[in-house]
Amino acid sequence: AQSVTQLGSHVSVSEGALVLLRCNYSSSVPPYLFWYVQYPNQGLQLLLKYTSAATLVKGINGFEAEFKKSETSFHLTKPSAHMSDAAEYFCAVSDENDKIIFGKGTRLHILP
Amino acid sequence: EAGVVQSPRYKIIEKKQPVAFWCNPISGHNTLYWYRQNLGQGPELLIRYENEEAVDDSQLPKDRFSAERLKGVDSTLKIQPAELGDSAVYLCASSPSYNEQFFGPGTRLTVL
């Protein structure tokens, strides 16, 4: 069964600093990979998805993620953090039955 | 375009009481999902519908949970009777294709 591991349940960065949220997946076949963001009391919003095209995927709000097969990673980055980026971020992978499996999430805190 | 609509947004009940959640997906989305999100966790799939048919209900606790999607549009998720451990956020999502899901804001259930 596929699974997703997000390293760090909480990450704090200063405003203007680089954001790096880590995600590793387990998959025996090329997967579809996703990053979702969840603001307080809201549902999940798709940031970006990897579907076996370009390995560097650009998403909304200045986020991007790079698929690295050799490392089974799909880390999320943003060059310069903004206060509005404070939220919970979920990495997810789709399995062979088209089911999406979510990680446990990483809460991103932005320090002024 | 309207997003996924869920109601109620919040529900507080005593244990052993019944409760129902309603979801209206995005128009034209044939696939509908119900997820449960426990505090500090990612969403976990309860049931997936393709039109009126439940194609994956393997994670639905069938002794107390039931769901329906009459006419292949709106859906309801019911718990009877509710237990303390059912306290969670129940998310509905819809999809035009299996690898891109749009989430509603969720219903936060508290069982006392």
Side-chain angles (χ1 to χ4, degrees), chain B residues 13-19 64 79-83 86 111:
Chain B
I13 62 171
E14 294 187 345
K15 63 181 181 181
K16 300 185 181 180
Q17 294 300 306
V19 65
R64 297 182 301 107
I79 308 175
Q80 182 172 10
E83 297 179 352
D86 296 331
V111 182

Side-chain angles (χ1 to χ4, degrees), chain B residues 6-88:
Chain B
Q6 290 187 249
S7 68
R9 291 294 313 277
Y10 304 91
K11 189 73 176 179
I12 301 174
I13 62 171
E14 294 187 345
K15 63 181 181 181
K16 300 185 181 180
Q17 294 300 306
V19 65
F21 314 124
W22 175 80
C23 173
N24 180 243
I26 293 173
S27 177
H29 286 193
N30 295 327
T31 308
L32 183 145
Y33 310 78
W34 281 104
Y35 289 88
R36 177 168 57 190
Q37 185 178 19
N38 293 313
L39 189 64
Q41 302 290 319
E44 296 179 329
L45 181 68
L46 291 173
I47 190 168
R48 184 180 97 189
Y49 281 94
E50 293 290 344
N51 299 304
E52 303 91 348
E53 183 181 2
V55 297
D56 184 356
D57 63 356
S58 57
Q59 301 301 311
L60 189 72
K62 298 180 182 64
D63 57 336
R64 297 182 301 107
F65 286 66
S66 64
E68 62 181 10
R69 192 185 183 197
L70 300 176
K71 301 181 180 179
V73 181
D74 295 1
S75 178
T76 56
L77 177 69
K78 298 178 181 178
I79 308 175
Q80 182 172 10
E83 297 179 352
L84 294 176
D86 296 331
S87 294

Side-chain angles (χ1 to χ4, degrees), chain A residues 42-107:
Chain A
Q42 295 188 27
L44 280 70
Q45 180 183 4
L46 182 66
L47 273 178
L48 49 83
K49 63 178 180 180
Y50 168 76
T51 57
S52 73
T55 56
L56 183 63
V57 182
K58 294 187 182 299
I60 63 172
N61 302 337
F63 285 93
E64 62 183 34
E66 186 173 8
F67 173 70
K68 292 187 176 180
K69 185 178 180 180
S70 61
E71 299 177 6
T72 62
S73 69
F74 191 57
H75 301 331
L76 181 71
T77 60
K78 181 174 180 177
S80 177
H82 191 273
M83 295 300 291
S84 62
D85 294 326
E88 185 112 25
Y89 292 80
F90 292 94
C91 182
V93 62
S94 63
D95 72 2
E96 59 276 12
N97 297 315
D98 302 341
K99 180 183 296 184
I100 293 184
I101 310 298
F102 289 88
K104 293 185 176 182
T106 297
R107 184 167 296 277

